[in-house]
Amino acid sequence: MSRALRIGAAQMGPIHKADSRQAVVRRMLDLLEKAKAEKCDLVVYPELALTTFFPRWYMTDQTEVDAWFEREMPGAATRPLFEQAAKYGIGMYLGYAELTPDGHHYNTSILVDRGGKIVGKYRKVHLPGHSEFDPRRAFQHLEKRYFEPGDLGFPVWRTMGGILGMCICNDRRWPETYRVMGLQGVELVVLGYNTPSVNSEKPEEGPHMRLFHNRLSVQAGAYQNSAWVVAVAKGGAEDGFHMIAGSLIVNPDGEIVAEAKTEDDELIVADCDLDATKFGKQTIFDFARHRRVEHYGRITSQTGVVLPPEG
C-alpha cells in the first residue's frame, strides 16, 4: 500500500499594498475550494501569503512595519481559512510575517494538519538582501532590516503519514537546507517563495534565468536527498514590481511532475507517493553507507571563503 499524498500547490498572483488580509484570505479560500474539488490532502500556500512583499519598501516607523506582521495564528482574518481547511480535512503550509509576544520578528511558515492543528513551525534562516536603504537599487530588498534569522533550525515532523519539512524562499538555494532535513529522513519538503524577476544588482539577468535557478535549486534538493519538494510562488506584478511565478512539484528523482502555467492564483496538483523516496535513500543517497563527515568540517566551522595560499 503506497503512502500517497495528493498535494495542491496553491500559487497566488500579486497582492498589492492596499489589499486587506480579508480579501487575501478570500482568495486563499477559493484555492482551498479547488483543492477540495481535486481531493487534495495538503495545500501549500506561498511565503508571506497574507500581504504584499513588504521588504521592497523602506520604512523607518516601527508601527508601520509591525502592521505587516501577525501577532497570533490563527488570528481574526485567518481563522476562517483554518476552520474551512479542517472541515474539508485538508492540511496546509502557510507563510506569514510573525511578531512574537516578546517582540521578535520572523519570516515564518507553519504546517497545519488535516484537523486544523498547527503541528510545525519554521522560521526562515537564510535572509537575503540588505538592512539599510540602498540608492543604487531599482527596488529595495530589506529582509535583513525587518526580520531576524530563524532560531528553530530545520526540524521535520511526522504528520499526514510521512516525514515533512519546511523552508522558505532563499533557503531553497542552499544545499544545507535540504541536507539537514535529509539527515532526519525527510520525505516531503514544502516551501513558499516571493522572488523578484530581476536581481536589482544584476539587471541584465532576466526572468528566464531566475526561473532556471528556481527549478535548478528545487530539483537538485529533491534528487540529492531523495525527497519530494513542493515550491509555491506568489508571482506577478505587485504595485508595479514583478516577481516570478513558476510554482512546481518535483519528485525524488528530481523530475518536475507539475508546474504552474500562469502568474495568477492557480492550483497545480500531483499525487506524491512518499514510498517513492525509499529507493534513493537506500542506494546512491544511503547516507549511513556513503557520507564521509571527516572531510566536511568546513561546512560548519567556516562561513566566508578562505582562499588557498598563493605561490
Side-chain angles (χ1 to χ4, degrees):
M1 179 178 172
S2 71
R3 292 180 299 130
L5 284 178
R6 189 162 173 81
I7 300 178
Q11 176 175 289
M12 298 183 71
I15 297 173
H16 302 296
K17 202 173 183 181
D19 292 345
S20 69
R21 302 281 205 290
Q22 290 77 11
V24 174
V25 169
R26 180 68 260 168
R27 289 166 56 187
M28 297 171 78
L29 284 164
D30 289 344
L31 287 162
L32 185 66
E33 291 293 328
K34 293 179 180 178
K36 176 180 180 287
E38 290 282 354
K39 297 181 170 54
C40 290
D41 302 301
L42 172 66
V43 63
V44 182
Y45 292 107
E47 174 191 27
L48 298 177
L50 302 172
T51 65
T52 194
F53 185 70
F54 63 86
R56 70 169 65 92
W57 307 104
Y58 180 71
M59 296 173 278
T60 57
D61 180 352
Q62 193 60 45
T63 301
E64 181 183 4
V65 174
D66 287 352
W68 298 106
F69 285 75
E70 312 303 315
R71 288 170 170 79
E72 58 180 343
M73 187 58 64
T78 50
R79 192 162 288 110
L81 181 66
F82 278 70
E83 291 173 349
Q84 195 75 329
K87 178 182 175 183
Y88 291 158
I90 298 174
M92 294 189 296
Y93 164 101
L94 171 66
Y96 63 98
E98 177 193 12
L99 176 54
T100 70
D102 55 350
H104 292 282
H105 298 74
Y106 297 107
N107 189 338
T108 295
S109 64
I110 50 173
L111 192 59
V112 182
D113 70 14
R114 298 177 70 170
K117 177 185 175 184
I118 297 174
V119 294
K121 176 179 283 188
Y122 169 75
R123 291 168 174 158
K124 187 173 181 179
V125 167
H126 298 102
L127 297 177
H130 51 112
S131 58
E132 299 299 331
F133 185 82
D134 185 349
R136 300 170 304 145
R137 295 174 183 250
F139 56 89
Q140 304 300 299
H141 198 133
L142 292 158
E143 286 194 60
K144 290 185 184 295
R145 182 179 184 85
Y146 302 131
F147 299 118
E148 301 164 58
D151 61 346
L152 301 176
F154 295 100
V156 302
W157 297 268
R158 287 188 181 273
T159 186
M160 287 176 265
I163 301 174
L164 277 60
M166 295 186 279
C167 62
I168 299 174
C169 196
N170 190 43
D171 291 321
R172 76 195 189 279
R173 306 184 190 278
W174 296 81
E176 295 90 342
T177 296
Y178 303 97
R179 185 48 46 91
V180 172
M181 288 188 276
L183 286 167
Q184 300 169 81
V186 77
E187 296 170 323
L188 168 65
V189 177
V190 287
L191 68 102
Y193 60 93
N194 288 201
T195 298
S197 296
V198 175
N199 185 326
S200 62
E201 295 183 287
K202 192 179 180 184
E204 70 275 11
E205 181 183 284
H208 68 286
M209 187 59 69
R210 304 288 269 173
L211 284 163
F212 168 71
H213 287 153
N214 182 50
R215 296 185 190 105
L216 177 68
S217 300
V218 172
Q219 290 178 263
Y223 169 64
Q224 291 171 348
N225 295 276
S226 194
W228 290 89
V229 182
V230 179
V232 182
K234 174 150 60 68
E238 290 189 339
D239 293 316
F241 297 92
H242 195 268
M243 298 186 297
I244 63 169
S247 301
L248 68 166
I249 299 175
V250 176
N251 73 18
D253 286 321
E255 297 174 302
I256 297 171
V257 298
E259 190 168 17
K261 296 180 173 62
T262 74
E263 294 182 343
D264 302 318
D265 293 8
E266 178 183 352
L267 187 79
I268 60 172
V269 177
D271 292 309
C272 303
D273 182 0
L274 302 184
D275 283 336
T277 65
K278 289 181 178 179
F279 180 79
K281 291 180 186 300
Q282 294 169 355
T283 56
I284 193 168
F285 296 116
D286 182 340
F287 295 156
R289 283 197 293 151
H290 304 315
R291 294 186 80 238
R292 297 263 55 97
V293 296
E294 65 271 25
H295 300 299
Y296 305 159
R298 284 185 186 271
I299 291 176
T300 56
S301 65
Q302 180 180 319
T303 50
V305 173
V306 176
L307 296 174
E310 294 184 6

